[in-house]
Amino acid sequence: MLDELDNRDALKVRTLFISDIHLGSKASKADFLLDFLRVHEAETIFLVGDIVDGWRLKRSWYWPQNCNDVVQKLLRKGRKGARIVYVPGNHDDFMREFPGIHFGGIEVARNMIHVAADGKRYLVLHGDEFDVVVRNARFIAHLGDWAYDTAIALNIWIARARRLLGLPYWSFSAWAKLQVKRAVNFIGEFQRVVADEARRNDVDGVICGHIHHAVIEDIDGITYINTGDWVESCTAVVEHFDGRMELIRWQNVELPKTLAGPMVPIMIPQAREAEIQAA
């Protein structure tokens, strides 16, 4: 019944791009993603890597019901006719052993060129292949992954303290990560290298994930799109039926305590920001 209501009331888009869900990590906001998927229906869904967090699952098994719910929701969308393409990342690189394979209505591809409704062509890939640390120093990448987990845990306590003080939400982990990467100019360099790869493939733009930094911007004539993540920012990119690309952020809202029943987190669009017509 819920799915019927979802389908009736859903916002319909041509294509949906999601990455870095990290199912299997305690930091994954799977419930938020479920709400987002209930609101949006797409003809094609691209899962742009790090959907399942194999690194963390190897360290310790963590797979709550909401992880199953996300998987089942995607499979159900596939059964209803949506095309679902899985482009693996570094955290779910075990999927890269199965290019061209279809399972449960989901097709696996190392990368793919997506042709938008306006005829513009986008290279879709996760992006870790352009991360020097991941490619050449896997041990350091795992160490950084552990440090990020620690920052996420600290973030929970900081968020609680700020809420008690009446201060707005502020992400310590996102701030710390951004400061480090600014120090080495990592984000800018990553974006430039990925845009260069799109140029080499003679396409109009590139859609990737990996660095958890959602943005749509022009880089020397190439439209660079990063879908962000579902660990902190809860962002996705949609293509509308005219080919327009839009970055959507999802925000957690709690129902007032005066309502009957337990307090339930729901998700609403925070802002349809960074909206851009790909040049």
Side-chain angles (χ1 to χ4, degrees), residues 115-184:
V115 181
D118 56 6
K120 292 174 181 175
R121 301 165 71 243
Y122 295 87
L123 176 64
V124 182
L125 45 75
H126 181 63
D128 62 289
E129 54 266 63
F130 303 102
D131 185 335
V132 174
V133 172
V134 171
R135 188 172 64 239
N136 297 327
R138 195 173 179 88
F139 170 75
I140 296 176
H142 279 278
L143 185 62
D145 194 54
W146 172 84
Y148 186 55
D149 280 351
T150 303
I152 288 286
L154 287 172
N155 195 67
I156 294 172
W157 292 102
I158 292 172
R160 288 175 181 171
R162 290 179 65 86
R163 190 160 56 245
L164 288 173
L165 293 172
L167 298 173
Y169 176 78
W170 174 76
S171 174
F172 165 75
S173 52
W175 173 85
K177 184 179 179 183
L178 191 57
Q179 294 307 308
V180 171
K181 289 185 177 180
R182 275 182 177 157
V184 296

Side-chain angles (χ1 to χ4, degrees), residues 18 29 39 42 49 72 85 122 133 150 177 180 189 195 213 221 226 239 258:
I18 301 170
K29 291 185 169 59
V39 171
Q72 291 301 318
V85 182
Y122 295 87
V133 172
T150 303
K177 184 179 179 183
V180 171
E189 181 66 13
H213 185 69
N226 194 297
E239 177 203 352
T258 53

Side-chain angles (χ1 to χ4, degrees), residues 7 27 42 50 86 121 132 203 252 263-264:
N7 189 60
D50 287 1
Y86 194 150
R121 301 165 71 243
V132 174
V203 294
N252 184 37
M263 190 169 289
V264 181

Side-chain angles (χ1 to χ4, degrees), residues 43-249:
E43 294 179 352
T44 302
I45 300 173
F46 277 95
L47 304 174
V48 194
D50 287 1
I51 305 305
V52 175
D53 198 324
W55 291 11
R56 288 180 176 84
L57 289 173
K58 283 181 181 178
R59 293 203 299 263
S60 61
W61 186 261
Y62 177 76
W63 194 264
Q65 183 59 44
N66 58 9
C67 291
N68 279 333
D69 293 342
V70 168
V71 173
Q72 291 301 318
K73 186 66 173 176
L74 290 169
L75 291 173
R76 192 175 301 118
K77 286 181 178 292
R79 289 195 298 271
K80 289 183 176 180
R83 180 191 182 195
I84 303 179
V85 182
Y86 194 150
V87 178
N90 51 304
H91 282 257
D92 49 12
D93 56 0
F94 58 90
M95 293 295 296
R96 287 176 171 161
E97 300 300 319
F98 308 101
I101 296 297
H102 289 65
F103 64 95
I106 298 176
E107 58 185 287
V108 180
R110 288 183 176 271
N111 56 62
M112 186 168 286
I113 291 179
H114 171 70
V115 181
D118 56 6
K120 292 174 181 175
R121 301 165 71 243
Y122 295 87
L123 176 64
V124 182
L125 45 75
H126 181 63
D128 62 289
E129 54 266 63
F130 303 102
D131 185 335
V132 174
V133 172
V134 171
R135 188 172 64 239
N136 297 327
R138 195 173 179 88
F139 170 75
I140 296 176
H142 279 278
L143 185 62
D145 194 54
W146 172 84
Y148 186 55
D149 280 351
T150 303
I152 288 286
L154 287 172
N155 195 67
I156 294 172
W157 292 102
I158 292 172
R160 288 175 181 171
R162 290 179 65 86
R163 190 160 56 245
L164 288 173
L165 293 172
L167 298 173
Y169 176 78
W170 174 76
S171 174
F172 165 75
S173 52
W175 173 85
K177 184 179 179 183
L178 191 57
Q179 294 307 308
V180 171
K181 289 185 177 180
R182 275 182 177 157
V184 296
N185 202 23
F186 175 81
I187 290 176
E189 181 66 13
F190 177 87
Q191 293 178 171
R192 184 189 64 78
V193 171
V194 174
D196 286 345
E197 179 67 12
R199 196 172 289 108
R200 282 191 292 272
N201 281 269
D202 193 27
V203 294
D204 301 289
V206 60
I207 301 173
C208 63
H210 184 56
I211 62 171
H212 296 203
H213 185 69
V215 69
I216 301 180
E217 65 180 53
D218 180 88
I219 300 179
D220 298 327
I222 295 293
T223 301
Y224 170 87
I225 302 176
N226 194 297
T227 59
D229 66 279
W230 289 87
V231 174
E232 288 185 284
S233 62
C234 295
T235 52
V237 169
V238 301
E239 177 203 352
H240 295 282
F241 287 99
D242 59 359
R244 178 170 50 93
M245 297 292 182
E246 180 183 6
L247 173 64
I248 298 178
R249 295 186 184 274

